[in-house]
Each structure stands twice: as C-alpha cells, then as structure tokens.
Amino acid sequence: MALGTVDQWVVNAADPSALARFWAFVLGGEPVDREDGWAFVEGAAGRPRLSFQPDPAPKAERNRLHLDVRVDDIASAAAAVTAHGGRLRGKTVTDAQGSFQVAHDPEGNEFCLVFPAGR
C-alpha cells in the first residue's frame, strides 16, 4: 500500500515562466503562469504537474533527482532541446539498458533523453 501519489514535481527557478515554456515544449502540455510568480506545465490527465517556484538563488550543484525523457530519436530530440535554449553534456551513451544523452534545461537542471533497449 502506498502512502500517497505524486501530485506535482516542483523545481526552483530564477524564471519560472521561461522554464514552464521550455518543459511544455519537451513534455507536451500547456505552460501556465500564476499571479504569485509560480508557473507550471498542465499535462495529460493522470500525469503529475511539473511546477516552477520562484527562487533567485543560482543553481550551484548537480541535481540529486532528474527526469528521464523517453524519445524516439535521441539525435533529433537533442537538436530540438538545444534549439529551445537547453544544452547537452557529453555524448550519447549506449549500454545494455539502451541509449541516453545528458541534457540541461535553460537554468542548468539536468535531465536525460533516453531510448530504452527492447521497449
């Protein structure tokens, strides 16, 4: 029995609105700005909301938690991410689990573009 379910993932952001637009492009959904400075991506039913809360402090360290974003073509997805303000770190890695490319959103939050093996 679970204690609860994920309601939303919250990310601190210098520019919540800009990050909501970036992640709406990556994941789909609609970016929504709130009057209190927060922003979020309204996704498909049943998917937790991805929210961004205002935080003027710069990101200083590597994420302890990151998203793996499943894509059909890592090279095409990587090009689209960089065209929308993200950046890549290193090269695509392939192992028994599949392939992945480490990326960063416009504020430096890490995530991976993944193409799992056999799925």
Side-chain angles (χ1 to χ4, degrees):
M1 179 174 170
L3 180 64
T5 60
V6 175
D7 179 56
Q8 65 181 335
W9 299 102
V10 180
V11 178
N12 291 4
D15 187 345
S17 182
L19 278 191
R21 288 191 306 277
F22 175 84
W23 282 101
F25 167 75
V26 170
L27 299 175
E30 293 298 319
V32 178
D33 292 325
R34 291 182 10 189
E35 291 180 16
D36 58 1
W38 283 60
F40 62 90
V41 177
E42 188 64 68
R47 181 172 37 168
R49 177 182 281 179
L50 183 58
S51 294
F52 304 92
Q53 69 181 353
D55 183 350
K59 181 180 178 305
E61 297 182 23
R62 185 172 175 204
N63 295 10
R64 298 290 299 221
L65 172 75
H66 71 266
L67 299 178
D68 280 357
V69 178
R70 184 185 299 213
V71 298
D72 292 327
D73 181 318
I74 290 178
S76 295
V81 161
T82 58
H84 282 82
R87 67 183 195 285
L88 307 177
R89 186 179 82 212
K91 297 183 185 253
T92 300
V93 174
T94 300
D95 61 20
Q97 299 302 310
S99 299
F100 69 92
Q101 169 68 60
V102 177
H104 298 261
D105 72 13
E107 291 195 12
N109 299 299
E110 295 93 354
F111 65 100
C112 290
L113 301 169
V114 301
F115 186 79
R119 288 197 233 170

